[in-house]
Amino acid sequence: MKPIHLIAAASVALLASTSVGLAEECNAAGTVGTAGSASAGGTSASSVGTAGACRTDGGTTSSIGSGGSAATTDGKAQSKTHINDNNGDKLKAQTKAQAVDKGTFSKSRTKTSTDGDTLQSTTRTMSHVPGEKPVKSTTTKKIILPEQ
């Protein structure tokens, strides 16, 4: 037997003897998310956050994501996202996006978190043109996974 065939036969035997771990079904699962955008003059800003959790007999797994963008025709724009993995199923994410053009500005901020069985996301937006009243908005979503 040639060496290449011996390696192939050993690989097949190894794969056949390896047990495959199956994914567990969630006993309770949920997702939450918020998003928002603001615009004024030549500025705009948007942010979004989402989180999910799955509780199985082996514990709870969580995921989180966040992002944003900002744009302006003549001023400055920036977007920052920070994700913090505190402790396994406790995750936090925050995105801030802002665009400024002289006194006109738009900003959006989203905070999202998972803490065991609780999922929460809040988005706040604001836009302002000098001499006018600011336009503000807040969206909050919170869910608690049901007991088993």
Side-chain angles (χ1 to χ4, degrees):
M1 187 179 270
K2 293 183 180 178
I4 192 93
H5 295 294
L6 182 58
I7 292 171
S11 298
V12 170
L14 178 64
L15 287 174
S17 67
T18 303
S19 64
V20 176
L22 300 175
E24 293 183 62
E25 287 191 30
C26 297
N27 297 327
T31 58
V32 68
T34 59
S37 62
S39 64
T43 66
S44 67
S46 301
S47 62
V48 61
T50 184
C54 169
R55 186 181 335 121
T56 66
D57 293 336
T60 301
T61 57
S62 301
S63 64
I64 199 163
S66 191
S69 65
T72 181
T73 54
D74 250 350
K76 294 183 178 181
Q78 68 177 5
S79 175
K80 298 178 183 180
T81 298
H82 179 74
I83 296 180
N84 190 10
D85 177 3
N86 291 334
N87 180 355
D89 61 350
K90 296 180 182 180
L91 305 171
K92 291 183 180 181
Q94 178 173 277
T95 292
K96 293 180 181 180
Q98 179 174 311
V100 180
D101 185 3
K102 298 179 181 141
T104 301
F105 69 87
S106 301
K107 60 183 178 178
S108 182
R109 181 188 76 194
T110 299
K111 290 183 174 183
T112 307
S113 64
T114 68
D115 186 2
D117 294 338
T118 303
L119 306 169
Q120 184 169 343
S121 186
T122 300
T123 298
R124 297 177 190 267
T125 62
M126 181 176 164
S127 60
H128 179 66
V129 175
E132 296 180 14
K133 186 177 177 182
V135 177
K136 300 177 183 182
S137 172
T138 300
T139 305
T140 299
K141 300 292 179 188
K142 180 179 181 178
I143 64 168
I144 299 172
L145 296 180
E147 294 299 319
Q148 295 186 24

